Amino acid sequence: RIPAAAASPAPRYCGVSWLKEPPGRPSCEEAYEQAMARVQGRGSFRPRWRPGDAVEVAWRGKGFEGSWTAAEVLVLDGPRHAMVRFAEFVDEVGSRLVERLELERLRLVPPPHGAPWTPRVGERVEGLWNDCWWEGCVRELDALKGVLFEYDRYANWSWLPLRAVRPRPPLWSYYPERQP
């Protein structure tokens, strides 16, 4: 069954016309720049990662845009890169993957949303599927099926249990505020 809002020709975001989302979702680099602009007035703020930080990594690969997955910072590699170890992804021999990534692809792990929380139709959320948190919104709620989750970057919907949905963190909360 396709929700009625999906057939609407009017430009809409998550099936809700009052949400003012610019065309094309912000990339992880744009989210970084927006977060930096938001905190400019806080003095000499710069995001500072440390070895051991629990982070989430923005994927860039085809078919994975708009998803985040858990990792740990192993070591900083210059002013713009870090080596991270993924929590869920492994190589051919079963070792957890380690990659050198740009810092703007990292964000803090969002804090637990607290209980009780029930999403609203049209709310921007993240849904857990295939070990990644995907950006999307709530299209429908059902007591038995859970949450009808619409992916931001794909024309797909999935029913997810409520435990696999969390509020989308605000952009300003993505980066640690630490002094040098």
Side-chain angles (χ1 to χ4, degrees):
R1 176 174 130 212
I2 297 175
S8 172
R12 299 165 75 91
Y13 174 69
C14 288
V16 180
S17 60
W18 52 266
L19 287 174
K20 302 294 185 205
E21 185 74 7
R25 307 299 181 259
S27 66
C28 55
E29 294 88 358
E30 291 166 333
Y32 178 83
E33 292 304 320
Q34 291 172 14
M36 293 299 96
R38 182 174 172 127
V39 298
Q40 288 283 323
R42 296 188 189 176
S44 62
F45 168 81
R46 286 193 54 207
R48 308 245 182 239
W49 300 104
R50 293 183 181 149
D53 279 345
V55 297
E56 289 185 348
V57 175
W59 283 102
R60 285 195 180 154
K62 184 177 180 177
F64 284 92
E65 297 91 354
S67 70
W68 298 84
T69 192
E72 174 190 1
V73 175
L74 297 177
V75 65
L76 298 177
D77 188 10
R80 301 188 189 280
H81 294 88
M83 295 293 288
V84 302
R85 178 182 299 128
F86 291 98
E88 300 293 332
F89 295 102
V90 297
D91 62 16
E92 305 82 35
V93 296
S95 297
R96 294 190 313 172
L97 288 179
V98 174
E99 284 190 31
R100 180 178 187 258
L101 301 171
E102 300 87 1
L103 293 179
E104 64 263 14
R105 291 182 58 194
L106 307 181
R107 74 175 183 188
L108 291 170
V109 175
H113 54 75
W117 173 76
T118 302
R120 299 176 321 274
V121 172
E123 183 175 358
R124 297 173 68 184
V125 296
E126 293 179 340
L128 182 62
W129 185 75
N130 272 357
D131 299 319
C132 293
W133 287 98
W134 296 82
E135 298 168 344
C137 69
V138 177
R139 297 282 291 181
E140 191 177 320
L141 295 170
D142 184 275
L144 297 176
K145 294 180 187 176
V147 176
L148 182 58
F149 176 81
E150 178 184 4
Y151 296 87
D152 274 359
R153 299 182 191 232
Y154 305 98
N156 282 335
W157 297 273
S158 295
W159 284 102
L160 298 175
L162 185 58
R163 70 181 181 282
V165 177
R166 68 183 183 191
R168 188 177 309 180
L171 293 177
W172 57 265
S173 71
Y174 282 17
Y175 308 102
E177 295 186 35
R178 296 180 177 145
Q179 296 301 319

